[in-house]
Every structure is written in structure tokens, then in C-alpha cells.
Amino acid sequence: MGELRLMKGNEAIAEAAIRVGCDGYFGYPITPQSEVMEYLMAEKPYETTGMVVLQAESEVAAINMLYGGAGTGKMVMTSSSSPGISLMQEGISYLAGTQLPALIVNIVRGGPGLGTIQPSQADYFQAVKGGGHGDYYTIVYAPASVQEMADFVKLGFDAAFHYRTPVLILSDGAIGQMMEKVYLPDPIPRRTEEEVISQCPWASTGKPPTREHHIMTSLDLDPAGQERLNLLLQEKYRVIEEKEVLYEKIDCDDAEYVFVAFGLSARICQKAVHLAREQGIKVGLFRPITLFPFPKKPLQELGKKVKGMLVVEMNAGQMIEDVILSVGFQIPIKHYGRFGGIIPTPDEVFRMLKEKIIGG
Amino acid sequence: MTEEIIIAGFGGQGVLSMGKILAYSGVMQDQEVSWMPSYGPEMRGGTANVTVIVSDERISSPILNKFDTAIILNQQSLDKFENAVKPGGLLIYDPNGITRQPERKDINIYSIAAADEAAKMGLSKVFNMMVLGGFLKLKPIVKMENIRKGLEKSLPARHHKLIPENEKALTIGQDLIQPVHVL
């Protein structure tokens, strides 16, 4: 089961990266995620596993270092918070277009603009609907605990390499800053050069005279060629939607009403489920773990059984669009959100369920 | 068992580390814990607080607005959190710097003059452990042996020589805590 520690979410991501054999971290400090790089700098994995830890001159530089590192088949990652992730969008689009694997962590803070350093979920649209230009998706994992912060590093790298696509971990300032118990995985050694060459036959690993150049680019000036790439990407996203959906259902079996929430909001709603059940009201919680691919089918099934849904997000109503696209208009689906770094309380969301759904 | 605690005071009083030692001690006895600090503008303004939950079960929300126990170390925090104690819950405060006494009649209130005592004994650095000792006398949710293990885990090795002093402070705190209003 690995080693037991009490850690911050940000530290758990950093420690997990070392343990899963990550080759390089490139980042630029920003609250509330600076502990990721601080932890790595303190642990000095470059002296033990050989993992590179580098403070870039900007977020734009960091994401392009990922582009270079990923092109050589290395396991590379970055982390930032909302304004920094906005700066990285061009690079993420290039990674998707060039079909390169990389892990990007967004510890979301309130926006828009410089916003606030307090937690938020207002980057859902940016994470799930593309973010950068062009027709692409990133696989998006939304951890709700420090344990999942650690676990999703491995999950994220595995998916990134399997599908040759950038993967995003979408968390928030509260989960980044809070400490919980975490079981860390046993360390896996970094891959050797030979392993990288055999596992990543597409990568730029030094050209022997026996093969053609590996050309990695998202540029194809011939529209027919560019359309072929787009069709290939879309085919990949359909497979991801088929195979990679993750979600959790809590107390949904006999539920008449459900909360739908991800990440920190899901934890708050889970407490509200207890409060409701203490009063004899049958309430459940549906928690999407992957936001792309969105758990459309399980949510659609649940929609046939319950009388109403309250979507709780720390934003003005983003995931609710995907919930309505999945469930339709047969039952009332309402939204409750707080913004700008305000975290709703369990009492508050329970009251809103009663006001907007049960009473309404 | 689930104990939901808010610890609040000035930055530098050891609010966050008291919570961390409590959380680590919970881990040492195989319980679920969460430690959620204020890290925002209020921290930069000088006050600090942390929500600690210790439970036998999986913890749902790490963010709460009602607590079983509030441990209060300054007036601002008393003003902010007195009404956040659940009816029948516990409020512990250090009277140092308190200008308005707590007024609730539906909760248990205890005072602990740890700041004065710690200053008198030259133990100001472990003031927070006196307060923790007082709390644990009233609610022994973690065993003393696990506090020791928690200290070993949460303090860097170069500070391990301070553990006996911390343990002494815990004991002093247990004698120091006084009832103010008990249901």
C-alpha cells in the first residue's frame, strides 16, 4: 500500500511525480500552488532519480520546455494556477496538435484576470472545452482529496502516454493547501534511454542511419493533410470517451435528489448529503472524476431515477451545461455557485437544494 | 467518533503547527484527518486559523461553518468563531488580550491562561502545546503517546531535542485549564 504520510495536496503531487519516475518538472511560481516546485527543490530529485526540476523564466517558457521534453519521449510535467495556465494555452494546443504526452496541473484560484489567491472552480470551461485554439481536448482529472492528488499523477502520465495527448489535473487552492493522510506509491525507477526508445517509437531520440527522421509538428499547410490529423485526433477522443470515464456515486441507490459536483465542491456536498439524510431526505451525490471525458451515460441513467439535481460549483455555472446535455430537460436541474474564492458551506448547499429543487 | 475543530489566533502563535501535531497524532492512531488552513488575505493580515477534523470515518467536507470545538487565541477570532460552535460544543480561549468575554450559554466554555504561564516559565515557544494539553484533558481524542509520535513526525529532526519541552507543556496545560461556563 506504499508509505503513509500527512501532506498538503501540492506536496503530494510533487512527491508522487518523483515516485512514478517523472523525468522533468518545469514551472514558474504562483500562489496557491508554489509548494509543488518548493517541495521538489527541497527534495532534490536531480540528485537521486535524476529528475530535472527547473524554474523557468515564465509560464510560456515552462510549457514550451514541456513541448521539447515530451518530443524526446520523456515524462514531463508542469503546474501552475489559473493566470499561469492561461499563459500556457498556446503550448497546450501545440502539444495536442503534435500528439505529445505531458501532464499539466492547474491549482485553480478565483478569476477572471489576476483574481484572488483563494480556491475556485472557474476554469472548468477552459480545461474541458479546449482552452487553446483548434479542435482538441485534454483529458481532465478532478481530484477531491490529497490521496487523489497523488494517485492522479500516475493515472495522468499513463493516459498521456497511452493516447499521446496532454493531460490536465484540475484541482483548486483548497485541495492544494490542505493536508490529509496519503498513501504514497512505491518508487518506480525512471525509464532508461533504451526503454524510452522502445516505448516511444515516435519520439526524437537520436536518428540512426537505419530509419527516416521522426518529424513532430502540428503544422500541415496541405488542408487534406491537416484534416487527416484532425480526424485522427477526433477518433482518439472518441476512444477516450469510450474507455476513460471515471466517476463516483455516493448514496445514489435510493436517492430522490442528487447533488452533482466535482473536486472540493463534491466534498462539501457529501457533508450536505449527511445533513439531508439526518432529516430523512433521500439525497445522493454524483461526482465526475474525469471532466473530459464527461460521464454522460451514467449521469443520464441517474437522471431517469431521481426527481431533481442541484449542480454545485465554485463558479457561475459551467459544468451544469454538460449535466443538462447528458440528462436533458425531463427533471429540474439547477445550479448553485459561489465565486471569487468563496467556498460554500455544507449547510448552505443543503439549504439551496431545499429551496431550488425539493421545494421548487 | 468525529471531532471538528477550529483553531484560531495570530500568526506566530503556533496555530497551524498545533493543528498539524493534532492531525499527525490522529494519523498515528489510524484515524482519518484533514487540516485546512486559512492561506488567504487574512493570513497576510496577521490572523491565522486552521480547521482540523479527526474521525473514524472518511471525512467529507474539509471546510466547515460549525464546529464541535473552537480553540481561540485572540479577540478577533473570538468575535469570528464564538457563534460557530455547535450547541453543546466546547470553546476554549486564552484570556490574554481578550477584552470581551464569550457570552454563549448553550456551550461549554473553558479558559486557559497559557500565554502568561508560558512567558513566566520561559516556555513561550511551546505556548501552543499548553493549549493543546488543555484541550486534550477535556477531549482526549488522541492518546499522549500518539502526540509524541505526531511531534516526531511533524517536527524536523533538528528540533527533536525540543520534544521533552513540548511534552512538559502538554502536562502544564492540563493543569492550567479552568471552567468558565459548564452545561
Side-chain angles (χ1 to χ4, degrees):
Chain A
M1 192 92 142
E3 188 189 340
L4 175 64
R5 295 237 202 119
L6 182 71
M7 294 183 112
K8 285 188 175 189
N10 287 335
E11 296 168 341
I13 280 186
E15 178 63 33
I18 300 171
R19 286 174 181 246
V20 303
C22 178
D23 294 303
Y25 172 95
F26 308 90
Y28 187 80
I30 180 170
T31 307
Q33 67 77 54
S34 296
E35 290 88 357
V36 179
M37 189 160 48
E38 283 169 13
Y39 185 92
L40 288 170
M41 288 294 187
E43 288 297 309
K44 298 186 173 67
Y46 35 88
E47 290 177 3
T48 51
T49 71
M51 173 185 172
V52 171
V53 184
L54 195 124
Q55 178 172 337
E57 65 268 39
S58 70
E59 288 88 347
V60 176
I63 195 72
N64 284 293
M65 290 173 184
L66 251 66
Y67 189 67
T72 65
K74 300 288 183 180
M75 278 171 75
V76 288
M77 68 180 289
T78 186
S79 64
S80 188
S81 180
S82 309
I85 296 289
S86 291
L87 286 167
M88 292 182 184
Q89 289 303 329
E90 181 195 38
I92 297 171
S93 171
Y94 276 55
L95 284 161
T98 312
Q99 303 196 72
L100 293 178
L103 183 65
I104 300 135
V105 180
N106 186 359
I107 307 293
V108 180
R109 59 190 247 176
L114 265 185
T116 172
I117 59 174
Q118 298 287 81
S120 164
Q121 297 181 319
D123 297 358
Y124 178 90
F125 279 153
Q126 185 195 53
V128 170
K129 308 292 178 190
H133 59 280
D135 267 324
Y136 78 93
Y137 292 99
T138 50
I139 300 175
V140 182
Y141 294 102
S145 64
V146 175
Q147 183 66 55
E148 287 187 345
M149 292 284 256
D151 293 347
F152 290 0
V153 171
K154 172 89 169 98
L155 205 61
F157 271 126
D158 285 351
F161 274 82
H162 185 77
Y163 293 103
R164 284 181 58 190
T165 193
V167 169
L168 195 77
I169 293 179
L170 188 74
S171 186
D172 65 71
I175 295 175
Q177 294 291 329
M178 77 181 186
M179 287 202 292
E180 290 185 311
K181 226 159 85 159
V182 53
Y183 290 95
L184 294 163
D186 292 328
I188 307 167
R190 283 176 53 238
R191 295 162 305 158
T192 62
E193 292 302 320
E194 291 70 29
E195 283 168 338
V196 171
I197 290 167
S198 72
Q199 288 169 19
C200 306
W202 44 267
S204 175
T205 45
K207 181 191 165 305
T210 49
R211 68 160 166 84
E212 293 298 307
H213 292 279
H214 289 159
I215 298 171
M216 273 163 285
T217 180
S218 56
L219 176 73
D220 193 338
L221 291 174
D222 172 14
Q226 193 61 45
E227 188 178 48
R228 272 198 302 279
L229 168 68
N230 270 271
L231 289 169
L232 193 72
L233 291 178
Q234 293 306 316
E235 174 58 27
K236 176 157 74 178
Y237 301 140
R238 295 300 85 79
V239 177
I240 290 170
E241 286 188 305
E242 181 100 350
K243 293 192 169 169
E244 301 300 327
V245 169
L246 294 174
Y247 61 93
E248 184 184 23
K249 287 198 286 185
I250 294 174
D251 291 340
C252 282
D253 287 347
D254 65 342
E256 296 184 348
Y257 308 96
V258 288
F259 291 109
V260 184
F262 69 96
L264 181 69
S265 294
R267 295 283 296 269
I268 292 157
C269 289
Q270 201 188 331
K271 180 90 181 176
V273 168
H274 296 312
L275 297 176
R277 288 196 172 252
E278 275 171 14
Q279 295 188 13
I281 307 170
K282 288 176 180 165
V283 177
L285 165 66
F286 185 93
R287 173 169 80 97
I289 295 173
T290 49
L291 303 180
F292 179 83
F294 194 73
K296 291 177 194 168
K297 281 181 193 158
L299 203 51
Q300 190 183 25
E301 289 305 311
L302 189 60
K304 291 175 190 162
K305 292 194 216 158
V306 300
K307 294 179 186 168
M309 295 181 171
L310 184 69
V311 183
V312 178
E313 304 175 74
M314 281 147 49
N315 62 42
Q318 301 191 11
M319 184 176 71
I320 188 173
E321 295 190 1
D322 288 325
V323 176
I324 292 174
L325 279 172
S326 307
V327 178
F329 294 96
Q330 286 76 24
I331 53 166
I333 300 174
K334 299 277 175 61
H335 182 265
Y336 181 66
R338 297 295 302 264
F339 339 107
I342 299 287
I343 305 170
T345 64
D347 292 356
E348 187 180 342
V349 298
F350 178 38
R351 197 174 67 243
M352 287 299 148
L353 180 76
K354 285 195 282 197
E355 271 178 31
K356 290 179 175 238
I357 301 291
I358 300 176
Chain B
M1 188 284 293
T2 298
E3 180 73 13
E4 297 171 336
I5 306 161
I6 179 89
I7 309 171
F10 289 119
Q13 279 181 314
V15 166
L16 299 186
S17 62
M18 191 195 321
K20 195 171 166 183
I21 290 159
L22 190 56
Y24 245 122
S25 311
V27 172
M28 290 301 120
Q29 52 191 41
D30 213 23
Q31 283 172 305
E32 300 299 321
V33 299
S34 85
W35 176 94
M36 179 73 229
S38 59
Y39 69 91
E42 66 238 87
M43 178 175 150
R44 284 149 172 83
T47 67
N49 69 66
V50 61
T51 302
V52 177
I53 307 172
V54 181
S55 179
D56 298 329
E57 289 158 33
R58 175 175 160 178
I59 292 167
S60 53
S61 178
I63 314 274
L64 300 167
N65 57 338
K66 292 275 181 277
F67 303 92
D68 298 308
T69 299
I71 298 175
I72 300 298
L73 303 177
N74 66 9
Q75 184 64 53
Q76 290 98 311
S77 302
L78 183 63
D79 294 344
K80 192 169 174 186
F81 292 111
E82 182 178 355
N83 285 323
V85 180
K86 293 178 194 170
L90 172 65
L91 187 150
I92 297 172
Y93 71 102
D94 189 318
N96 182 42
I98 295 290
T99 51
R100 181 193 65 78
Q101 300 300 314
E103 289 156 4
R104 293 267 302 266
K105 295 292 170 223
D106 60 337
I107 57 172
N108 293 300
I109 301 174
Y110 285 77
S111 78
I112 180 161
D116 283 353
E117 186 68 17
K120 232 185 284 171
M121 299 183 69
L123 288 173
S124 293
K125 274 188 181 163
V126 290
F127 147 76
N128 59 345
M129 296 303 288
M130 285 191 189
V131 179
L132 183 60
F135 165 69
L136 289 174
K137 185 184 177 191
L138 302 177
K139 290 198 175 178
I141 55 165
V142 289
K143 292 191 186 124
M144 280 299 165
E145 74 214 50
N146 290 321
I147 289 276
R148 189 190 167 84
K149 285 187 202 161
L151 280 165
E152 280 170 10
K153 276 276 184 182
S154 58
L155 291 174
R158 66 179 189 280
H159 289 152
H160 278 188
K161 59 179 186 295
L162 299 173
I163 289 177
E165 202 170 275
N166 278 274
E167 288 180 311
K168 189 176 158 197
L170 282 167
T171 316
I172 294 169
Q174 294 185 326
D175 297 332
L176 214 54
I177 194 151
Q178 297 295 331
V180 175
H181 175 265
V182 180
L183 293 174

